[in-house]
PDB file of all heavy atoms in Angstrom:
ATOM      1  N   ARG B 344     -15.184  27.748-103.587  1.00  0.00           N
ATOM      2  CA  ARG B 344     -14.879  28.926-104.391  1.00  0.00           C
ATOM      3  C   ARG B 344     -15.685  28.930-105.711  1.00  0.00           C
ATOM      4  O   ARG B 344     -15.719  29.931-106.406  1.00  0.00           O
ATOM      5  CB  ARG B 344     -13.388  29.032-104.667  1.00  0.00           C
ATOM      6  CG  ARG B 344     -12.754  27.838-105.336  1.00  0.00           C
ATOM      7  CD  ARG B 344     -11.237  28.035-105.408  1.00  0.00           C
ATOM      8  NE  ARG B 344     -10.560  26.982-106.139  1.00  0.00           N
ATOM      9  CZ  ARG B 344     -10.091  25.882-105.572  1.00  0.00           C
ATOM     10  NH1 ARG B 344     -10.233  25.695-104.261  1.00  0.00           N
ATOM     11  NH2 ARG B 344      -9.476  24.967-106.306  1.00  0.00           N
ATOM     12  N   PHE B 345     -16.314  27.806-106.018  1.00  0.00           N
ATOM     13  CA  PHE B 345     -17.267  27.714-107.121  1.00  0.00           C
ATOM     14  C   PHE B 345     -18.672  27.649-106.520  1.00  0.00           C
ATOM     15  O   PHE B 345     -18.960  26.746-105.721  1.00  0.00           O
ATOM     16  CB  PHE B 345     -17.029  26.451-107.953  1.00  0.00           C
ATOM     17  CG  PHE B 345     -15.724  26.428-108.660  1.00  0.00           C
ATOM     18  CD1 PHE B 345     -14.604  25.846-108.065  1.00  0.00           C
ATOM     19  CD2 PHE B 345     -15.591  26.962-109.933  1.00  0.00           C
ATOM     20  CE1 PHE B 345     -13.391  25.816-108.725  1.00  0.00           C
ATOM     21  CE2 PHE B 345     -14.376  26.933-110.607  1.00  0.00           C
ATOM     22  CZ  PHE B 345     -13.272  26.354-109.992  1.00  0.00           C
ATOM     23  N   SER B 346     -19.539  28.574-106.941  1.00  0.00           N
ATOM     24  CA  SER B 346     -20.877  28.622-106.371  1.00  0.00           C
ATOM     25  C   SER B 346     -21.902  28.664-107.496  1.00  0.00           C
ATOM     26  O   SER B 346     -22.016  29.664-108.206  1.00  0.00           O
ATOM     27  CB  SER B 346     -21.012  29.863-105.482  1.00  0.00           C
ATOM     28  OG  SER B 346     -22.329  30.001-105.021  1.00  0.00           O
ATOM     29  N   PRO B 347     -22.663  27.593-107.686  1.00  0.00           N
ATOM     30  CA  PRO B 347     -23.643  27.590-108.767  1.00  0.00           C
ATOM     31  C   PRO B 347     -24.947  28.245-108.332  1.00  0.00           C
ATOM     32  O   PRO B 347     -25.251  28.337-107.142  1.00  0.00           O
ATOM     33  CB  PRO B 347     -23.848  26.095-109.023  1.00  0.00           C
ATOM     34  CG  PRO B 347     -23.663  25.472-107.676  1.00  0.00           C
ATOM     35  CD  PRO B 347     -22.634  26.309-106.964  1.00  0.00           C
ATOM     36  N   GLU B 348     -25.683  28.675-109.342  1.00  0.00           N
ATOM     37  CA  GLU B 348     -26.987  29.291-109.078  1.00  0.00           C
ATOM     38  C   GLU B 348     -27.879  29.029-110.279  1.00  0.00           C
ATOM     39  O   GLU B 348     -27.433  29.125-111.424  1.00  0.00           O
ATOM     40  CB  GLU B 348     -26.830  30.803-108.884  1.00  0.00           C
ATOM     41  CG  GLU B 348     -28.143  31.542-108.639  1.00  0.00           C
ATOM     42  CD  GLU B 348     -28.008  33.039-108.832  1.00  0.00           C
ATOM     43  OE1 GLU B 348     -27.039  33.487-109.491  1.00  0.00           O
ATOM     44  OE2 GLU B 348     -28.896  33.763-108.358  1.00  0.00           O
ATOM     45  N   CYS B 349     -29.139  28.689-110.011  1.00  0.00           N
ATOM     46  CA  CYS B 349     -30.097  28.463-111.086  1.00  0.00           C
ATOM     47  C   CYS B 349     -31.311  29.352-110.842  1.00  0.00           C
ATOM     48  O   CYS B 349     -32.271  28.916-110.190  1.00  0.00           O
ATOM     49  CB  CYS B 349     -30.489  26.990-111.145  1.00  0.00           C
ATOM     50  SG  CYS B 349     -31.438  26.538-112.598  1.00  0.00           S
ATOM     51  N   PRO B 350     -31.282  30.571-111.336  1.00  0.00           N
ATOM     52  CA  PRO B 350     -32.376  31.526-111.051  1.00  0.00           C
ATOM     53  C   PRO B 350     -33.724  31.117-111.647  1.00  0.00           C
ATOM     54  O   PRO B 350     -34.765  31.442-111.083  1.00  0.00           O
ATOM     55  CB  PRO B 350     -31.893  32.831-111.690  1.00  0.00           C
ATOM     56  CG  PRO B 350     -30.446  32.632-111.993  1.00  0.00           C
ATOM     57  CD  PRO B 350     -30.231  31.167-112.146  1.00  0.00           C
ATOM     58  N   ASN B 351     -33.682  30.442-112.788  1.00  0.00           N
ATOM     59  CA  ASN B 351     -34.924  29.946-113.395  1.00  0.00           C
ATOM     60  C   ASN B 351     -34.579  28.761-114.294  1.00  0.00           C
ATOM     61  O   ASN B 351     -33.405  28.403-114.445  1.00  0.00           O
ATOM     62  CB  ASN B 351     -35.650  31.059-114.164  1.00  0.00           C
ATOM     63  CG  ASN B 351     -34.802  31.657-115.267  1.00  0.00           C
ATOM     64  OD1 ASN B 351     -34.355  30.940-116.168  1.00  0.00           O
ATOM     65  ND2 ASN B 351     -34.572  32.970-115.201  1.00  0.00           N
ATOM     66  N   SER B 352     -35.561  28.207-114.916  1.00  0.00           N
ATOM     67  CA  SER B 352     -35.342  26.950-115.647  1.00  0.00           C
ATOM     68  C   SER B 352     -34.494  27.124-116.894  1.00  0.00           C
ATOM     69  O   SER B 352     -34.028  26.140-117.459  1.00  0.00           O
ATOM     70  CB  SER B 352     -36.687  26.333-116.027  1.00  0.00           C
ATOM     71  OG  SER B 352     -37.420  27.216-116.848  1.00  0.00           O
ATOM     72  N   SER B 353     -34.290  28.367-117.343  1.00  0.00           N
ATOM     73  CA  SER B 353     -33.522  28.597-118.569  1.00  0.00           C
ATOM     74  C   SER B 353     -32.094  29.050-118.306  1.00  0.00           C
ATOM     75  O   SER B 353     -31.288  29.084-119.230  1.00  0.00           O
ATOM     76  CB  SER B 353     -34.197  29.682-119.429  1.00  0.00           C
ATOM     77  OG  SER B 353     -35.489  29.310-119.777  1.00  0.00           O
ATOM     78  N   LEU B 354     -31.792  29.394-117.091  1.00  0.00           N
ATOM     79  CA  LEU B 354     -30.548  30.093-116.795  1.00  0.00           C
ATOM     80  C   LEU B 354     -29.758  29.375-115.713  1.00  0.00           C
ATOM     81  O   LEU B 354     -30.325  28.919-114.712  1.00  0.00           O
ATOM     82  CB  LEU B 354     -30.892  31.515-116.347  1.00  0.00           C
ATOM     83  CG  LEU B 354     -29.781  32.544-116.244  1.00  0.00           C
ATOM     84  CD1 LEU B 354     -29.015  32.662-117.556  1.00  0.00           C
ATOM     85  CD2 LEU B 354     -30.381  33.893-115.865  1.00  0.00           C
ATOM     86  N   LEU B 355     -28.457  29.300-115.929  1.00  0.00           N
ATOM     87  CA  LEU B 355     -27.560  28.688-114.940  1.00  0.00           C
ATOM     88  C   LEU B 355     -26.317  29.564-114.835  1.00  0.00           C
ATOM     89  O   LEU B 355     -25.739  29.936-115.853  1.00  0.00           O
ATOM     90  CB  LEU B 355     -27.174  27.275-115.395  1.00  0.00           C
ATOM     91  CG  LEU B 355     -26.342  26.439-114.441  1.00  0.00           C
ATOM     92  CD1 LEU B 355     -27.123  26.091-113.181  1.00  0.00           C
ATOM     93  CD2 LEU B 355     -25.869  25.151-115.132  1.00  0.00           C
TER      94      LEU B 355
END
Side-chain angles (χ1 to χ4, degrees):
Chain B
R344 56 186 185 269
F345 295 92
S346 174
E348 178 196 19
C349 190
N351 59 58
S352 60
S353 301
L354 192 55
L355 185 66

